[in-house]
Amino acid sequence: MDSKGHRRIRGDSGVNAVERERIGAAFGSARDYDRHARVQHDIAYDLAARIAALDLPENPRILEIGCGTGFLTQALIEVGIGGNWLVTDIAPAMVERCKARLGESAGRRFAVMDGEYGLPEMGEFDLVCSSLAMQWFDDQEMAVARMLRSVKVGGHCLFATLGAGTFAEWRAAHEEEGLEAGTRRFAPLSELQNMQAGARVGDLVVQKRVESHDDALGFLRSLRAIGAGTPQPAHRPLGPAEMRRVMARFEERGSAVTYEVVIGHFRRSVP
């Protein structure tokens, strides 16, 4: 147990440990997340609708990875998904906020867990699900393989992640000034399609969601507000004059950003 009273689950891997601590700390301090995470909210509810259409057993065992403040958890409750849940996140503060939103019960437990390296090895869940957490993983293809190992034979793994087209407008504004954006670089669709290997039933759906902002500063503030402002490792921050030029370019384009959302659905095949 940790100091907040919920279970703590850790993997043995120390891969990229410093970076993972940075990401977890950023999300944990995102106290204004719910007000700014409009796209994240809509994606979670879309994913919940897809889960509601599955052939789950009457009382499924469910593992949620990267619960955040509870968008997907709440959406699943609202569509009538019951059963025995283990709700997890790498950031203790997020786990605590999700628990405060929805409450702990005999059928709903909460734990701090590294969703990439700390998964249970044995297939015990009817569903493993995650909304917008996997894009922060070191290797999403390997992560899906681990997720499927945690699923019972015939069980489901559903997730939403972000593709390389995310924030293309912000990156383009940098490139036009001969600069490189510090925002995270997400996996291209061609790489994400490799996740289908090894699963008898696998499907990827790509969506484009556009979020408008008043100006460049509004976009940057929204990233910080949702904890997604952690830059690429070793990124050199721009100087004030460089940043002003980039912001002007971005505003010339309309101050909107695209989220390239990749929704995956895999089913563990019979050995």
Side-chain angles (χ1 to χ4, degrees), residues 214-225:
D214 292 336
D215 50 30
L217 187 58
F219 166 61
L220 293 174
R221 284 174 172 167
S222 73
L223 281 186
R224 287 194 293 271

Side-chain angles (χ1 to χ4, degrees), residues 2-244:
D2 71 6
S3 60
K4 292 292 187 179
H6 42 57
R7 294 173 59 209
R8 178 177 292 273
I9 304 174
R10 290 190 181 275
D12 295 329
S13 174
V15 175
N16 210 7
V18 173
E19 187 65 11
R20 301 176 85 73
E21 288 292 336
R22 290 177 66 213
I23 292 169
F27 281 105
S29 63
R31 301 188 182 279
D32 208 18
Y33 183 93
D34 286 3
R35 187 163 68 89
H36 290 272
R38 296 165 294 183
V39 170
Q40 290 78 4
H41 174 277
D42 293 347
I43 292 168
Y45 273 75
D46 183 343
L47 194 61
R50 294 171 186 271
I51 290 171
L54 299 177
D55 56 340
L56 294 173
E58 185 174 349
N59 290 297
R61 295 197 67 188
I62 299 173
L63 169 63
E64 182 183 352
I65 295 170
C67 65
T69 62
F71 284 163
L72 178 59
T73 324
Q74 182 168 15
L76 290 172
I77 292 171
E78 291 179 7
V79 296
I81 303 294
N84 190 327
W85 296 14
L86 177 58
V87 182
T88 73
D89 198 284
I90 196 171
M94 285 298 196
V95 174
E96 202 61 25
R97 289 171 65 184
C98 184
K99 184 167 66 171
R101 177 200 289 262
L102 300 167
E104 197 165 19
S105 67
R108 187 163 57 243
R109 298 171 296 134
F110 294 83
V112 176
M113 186 184 84
D114 184 325
E116 183 170 7
Y117 298 111
L119 292 174
E121 286 294 327
M122 301 301 294
E124 56 180 294
F125 296 99
D126 299 292
L127 169 69
V128 175
C129 58
S130 178
S131 184
L132 297 186
M134 290 174 56
Q135 67 269 14
W136 301 101
F137 288 179
D138 295 327
D139 187 327
Q140 293 188 81
E141 183 180 355
M142 289 299 298
V144 168
R146 293 188 187 100
M147 290 162 74
L148 284 170
R149 285 200 296 269
S150 296
V151 173
K152 295 177 181 178
V153 172
H156 300 269
C157 172
L158 264 79
F159 59 85
T161 187
L162 296 179
T166 300
F167 304 152
E169 298 87 349
W170 182 245
R171 290 199 308 276
H174 282 72
E175 290 167 2
E176 289 169 3
E177 294 296 328
L179 301 167
E180 184 175 350
T183 46
R184 307 294 289 200
R185 291 191 292 272
F186 302 127
L189 184 59
S190 59
E191 181 178 321
L192 295 175
Q193 287 170 334
N194 291 333
M195 295 189 296
Q196 293 174 292
R200 189 176 66 178
V201 179
D203 184 37
L204 292 179
V205 175
V206 180
Q207 301 175 345
K208 296 292 181 72
R209 293 176 181 261
V210 178
E211 183 178 62
S212 297
H213 296 275
D214 292 336
D215 50 30
L217 187 58
F219 166 61
L220 293 174
R221 284 174 172 167
S222 73
L223 281 186
R224 287 194 293 271
I226 64 174
T230 305
Q232 282 289 124
H235 172 70
R236 179 188 68 82
L238 301 186
E242 292 174 322
M243 180 57 78
R244 284 194 295 271

